[in-house]
Amino acid sequence: MDKQVLFRKFVDFTTGVHRTTHEIAKGIKLDAVTPVQYKMLEYIAVSQPVTLSSVADCTHMSLPNTSRELRKLIDKGLCEKVVDGEDRRKQRIRLSVQGQALMNGVFGHMQTELDRRIEGLSAAQLKEIEQALDLLQTRIFK
Amino acid sequence: MDKQVLFRKFVDFTTGVHRTTHEIAKGIKLDAVTPVQYKMLEYIAVSQPVTLSSVADCTHMSLPNTSRELRKLIDKGLCEKVVDGEDRRKQRIRLSVQGQALMNGVFGHMQTELDRRIEGLSAAQLKEIEQALDLLQTRIFK
DNA sequence: CCTTCTAGTTATCATATGATAACTATAGGA
DNA sequence: TCCTATAGTTATCATATGATAACTAGAAGG
């Protein structure tokens, strides 16, 4: 097995994934939020409710900077935070109704874009894609 | 075929790819170049020689900003530019010897990381991975 | 209670990045 | 030759991001 060839394919592939997700995302142009703030929203959307520390960890940001950017998101009315009942140092952060609507729109747009890319494929071909996603995720991108 | 399920898998998958490439990249910590400069180096490395406009296009930057960042890369001794013989408005940009060495180190590190993730897999399993990469790239991440 | 740890805040600074205007130089017609 | 388009440069400004220090408040254990 030629590992050089596999590596080359790997690099080309990840480049393609980055390009594709960028193309899908750029069509959205949320002028209300910065890229970093969007990353936070995306994480909160799929994992809510979350603590500030977990947002910081998962977005690879420092706690002070995460706190600052969350404040901006709250000021924009996109997030809410409630002090945790158990441990009053912690917070439960989630999307506001408005933030949820925003992210629903984003995910809807992404789904549309994906649909556009896979339209015309047969059920068997879609199944193949699904299996390929599963395979790569369990073997490499865990 | 449940498109909702496929979409969910797609989102999880691209998230995983981003996380994995980030983990691989962060072990490198090139403190000499900024993230944007690194993106430029990566593009130049795989496509050299390139024009400034193509760097700008492929990294989604404006021409003025690309020109500025290229100047910094040249000042750091990582890139070189030569005026094109055919069309003297254009430039042929490539990595310098030092820049090539840097990127060789980066790609070597990436390959090591990939090898670590696929070690212990059989030839048949590697073949499966290769086919899955090909499939997804032609169908979705073209 | 006292100490120490955890979770988060606030303020401040430096740098990276993005946007734009005004410019030079070359190419390619008409 | 003149006009226009292309390729790139330089300068300038605003904003986003990253790093750090000094802080508050609550938890947890002795």
Side-chain angles (χ1 to χ4, degrees):
Chain A
M1 183 52 47
D2 194 340
K3 291 201 168 175
Q4 294 290 124
V5 171
L6 188 59
F7 176 62
R8 180 74 204 194
K9 276 179 198 271
F10 174 78
V11 171
D12 287 353
F13 180 77
T14 54
T15 302
V17 172
H18 282 104
R19 193 172 33 66
T20 300
T21 51
H22 178 268
E23 278 169 15
I24 289 178
K26 85 173 174 196
I28 304 177
K29 57 175 178 194
L30 304 181
D31 42 43
V33 301
T34 69
V36 164
Q37 287 163 11
Y38 174 75
K39 260 203 309 190
M40 294 172 63
L41 285 178
E42 203 170 54
Y43 170 67
I44 295 168
V46 299
S47 308
Q48 60 186 334
V50 294
T51 66
L52 191 69
S53 300
S54 70
V55 177
D57 282 348
C58 295
T59 56
H60 312 291
M61 296 167 66
S62 70
L63 210 43
N65 290 337
T66 310
S67 177
R68 176 187 61 200
E69 298 306 317
L70 179 66
R71 166 134 310 285
K72 295 177 187 170
L73 288 172
I74 293 172
D75 288 347
K76 294 176 208 273
L78 299 173
C79 288
E80 296 168 344
K81 64 179 174 182
V82 181
V83 178
D84 188 297
E86 307 282 302
D87 184 338
R88 295 170 42 74
R89 289 170 303 183
K90 293 184 184 168
Q91 304 178 341
R92 299 168 66 79
I93 300 165
R94 53 177 75 247
L95 298 183
S96 67
V97 173
Q98 195 190 332
Q100 190 66 58
L102 179 82
M103 292 309 287
N104 286 347
V106 169
F107 287 127
H109 176 266
M110 287 172 55
Q111 172 130 30
T112 304
E113 280 298 305
L114 177 62
D115 287 350
R116 224 172 42 73
R117 281 158 201 267
I118 61 177
E119 75 183 351
L121 296 185
S122 69
Q125 286 172 322
L126 291 179
K127 195 73 197 165
E128 267 182 11
I129 288 174
E130 204 177 323
Q131 287 169 348
L133 291 173
D134 287 340
L135 176 75
L136 292 179
Q137 190 136 31
T138 54
R139 292 266 198 262
I140 304 188
F141 306 109
K142 342 180 198 298
Chain B
M1 181 54 44
D2 193 339
K3 290 202 169 178
Q4 294 289 125
V5 170
L6 188 59
F7 176 63
R8 181 73 204 194
K9 277 180 199 267
F10 173 79
V11 171
D12 287 353
F13 180 77
T14 54
T15 303
V17 172
H18 282 103
R19 194 172 33 64
T20 301
T21 51
H22 178 269
E23 279 170 15
I24 288 178
K26 84 174 173 195
I28 304 178
K29 58 174 176 197
L30 303 183
D31 41 44
V33 302
T34 69
V36 165
Q37 287 163 10
Y38 174 75
K39 258 201 310 186
M40 294 173 63
L41 286 179
E42 203 170 55
Y43 170 68
I44 295 168
V46 299
S47 307
Q48 59 186 333
V50 294
T51 66
L52 190 69
S53 299
S54 70
V55 178
D57 282 349
C58 296
T59 56
H60 311 289
M61 297 167 65
S62 70
L63 212 42
N65 291 337
T66 310
S67 176
R68 176 186 62 200
E69 298 306 317
L70 179 66
R71 166 134 310 286
K72 295 177 186 169
L73 288 172
I74 292 172
D75 289 347
K76 294 177 209 271
L78 299 172
C79 287
E80 296 167 347
K81 65 177 173 183
V82 180
V83 178
D84 188 297
E86 307 284 302
D87 184 336
R88 294 169 46 73
R89 289 171 303 183
K90 292 186 186 169
Q91 304 178 342
R92 299 168 65 80
I93 299 165
R94 52 178 73 246
L95 299 182
S96 67
V97 173
Q98 195 189 334
Q100 191 64 60
L102 179 84
M103 292 310 287
N104 286 347
V106 168
F107 286 126
H109 176 267
M110 286 171 56
Q111 171 131 27
T112 304
E113 280 298 306
L114 177 62
D115 287 350
R116 224 171 44 69
R117 282 158 202 265
I118 62 177
E119 74 182 354
L121 295 186
S122 71
Q125 286 172 322
L126 291 180
K127 194 73 197 163
E128 267 182 10
I129 289 174
E130 205 178 321
Q131 286 169 347
L133 290 174
D134 286 340
L135 176 74
L136 292 180
Q137 191 137 30
T138 54
R139 291 268 198 261
I140 304 188
F141 306 109
K142 346 179 198 296

